[in-house]
Amino acid sequence: MNAIAKFLRSPIGQKWIMALTGLFLVSFLIVHLSGNILLLLPDNGRTFSAFVDWMESRWIIRILSILLFLGFTLHIVQGILLYRYNRKAKGARYAVTATDNSTWSARHMALLGIGILLFLILHLWDFFFPMKVLKAFPHQQLYDEVVQTFQNPLWVIAYVLGMVVLGLHLSHGFQSAFQTLGIRHPKYTPFIVAFGKWFSILVPLLFAIIPIALYFKFS
Ligand code: HEM
């Protein structure tokens, strides 16, 4: 037990926590996108509302919701700690030299993470807080609230920008997580890298289409 705690406090252990929580959040993105894409069905939100109804009546979803918030918190706190550790280790803030051939995203993961955090605060303020904390509207009204939110072009732009930042963060984070966990193999690594690239383009793109489509459908 002591050995595990010691490992988790070491820089490698902290990177493992980042990788594991990151992959957990990736799995959330897939589920969240699958539900939200129902907003685009031409049925005035019937299927989306039925899905929300189903989610609201399942205790397992509540537990997953708590795990999700713990996952986000751990990923953010650990990210800050690792960023500070790297800065100290390098003696200067993410020093970039001419020989540094890492991608822009890889060198700016912390900055991109802050961008996602800002998006998340705005996003939770839009739907989660009014519906679940303030009880300002019932979950049956969620479709109308989403449609109304995306009648504001500034909100659409904010969401699209948020998805660009998410895509850049994932474009490095996805394959980096596998590398951290030591999942490297001449046969499988090219597949993981290619899958990560496609994932970091397709998932944010599909998320971004939702506010754009709702804006043009109802305005
Ligand atoms: C533009 C695309 C998106 C739309 C239309 C959207 C829509 C929604 C809606 C309607 C809710 C309230 C549902 C509920 O709380 O049960 C929600 C909750 C949430 N969304 Fe999104 N979302 C989008 C993108 C994202 C992204 C990219 C992330 C993560 C980076 C995210 C993270 C969350 C979280 C953490 C919650 C609270 C989940 C919970 O209830 O436990 N969303 N979203």
Side-chain angles (χ1 to χ4, degrees), residues 114-202:
I114 292 170
I116 296 174
L117 181 60
L118 291 179
F119 163 79
L120 207 56
I121 292 170
L122 172 90
H123 181 47
L124 294 181
W125 197 255
D126 277 341
F127 309 120
F128 180 83
F129 277 111
M131 185 174 91
K132 296 226 171 126
V133 182
L134 304 177
K135 312 268 181 216
F137 62 85
H139 72 266
Q140 290 85 351
Q141 210 179 300
L142 185 59
Y143 177 77
D144 295 332
E145 295 291 329
V146 176
V147 167
Q148 202 190 329
T149 299
F150 296 132
Q151 289 317 289
N152 183 342
L154 288 180
W155 244 238
V156 176
I157 292 170
Y159 269 68
V160 171
L161 285 179
M163 293 310 98
V164 172
V165 174
L166 177 68
L168 289 170
H169 194 74
L170 287 173
S171 72
H172 174 72
F174 192 94
Q175 49 110 5
S176 169
F178 285 91
Q179 221 171 16
T180 298
L181 299 175
I183 304 172
R184 253 170 286 171
H185 189 280
K187 207 163 138 193
Y188 306 120
T189 299
F191 171 76
I192 292 171
V193 171
F195 186 84
K197 272 197 185 125
W198 277 105
F199 188 90
S200 64
I201 295 171
L202 258 184

Side-chain angles (χ1 to χ4, degrees), residues 25 28-29 32-33 36 39 48 52 55-56 61-62 64-66 68-69 72 116 119-120 123-124 127-129 131-132 139 142-143 146 150 159-160 162-163 166 203-204 206-211 214:
L25 295 176
F28 159 72
L29 282 179
H32 199 43
L33 179 61
N36 285 337
L39 285 160
F48 176 77
V52 175
M55 297 265 284
E56 287 296 312
I61 300 293
R62 297 221 173 123
L64 285 176
S65 222
I66 295 168
L68 179 64
F69 278 91
F72 265 114
I116 296 174
F119 163 79
L120 207 56
H123 181 47
L124 294 181
F127 309 120
F128 180 83
F129 277 111
M131 185 174 91
K132 296 226 171 126
H139 72 266
L142 185 59
Y143 177 77
V146 176
F150 296 132
Y159 269 68
V160 171
M163 293 310 98
L166 177 68
V203 168
L206 289 172
F207 267 124
I209 285 173
I210 298 170
L214 290 179

Side-chain angles (χ1 to χ4, degrees), residues 51-65:
F51 174 72
V52 175
D53 246 350
W54 182 86
M55 297 265 284
E56 287 296 312
S57 59
R58 295 291 180 279
W59 60 266
I60 184 84
I61 300 293
R62 297 221 173 123
I63 293 175
L64 285 176
S65 222

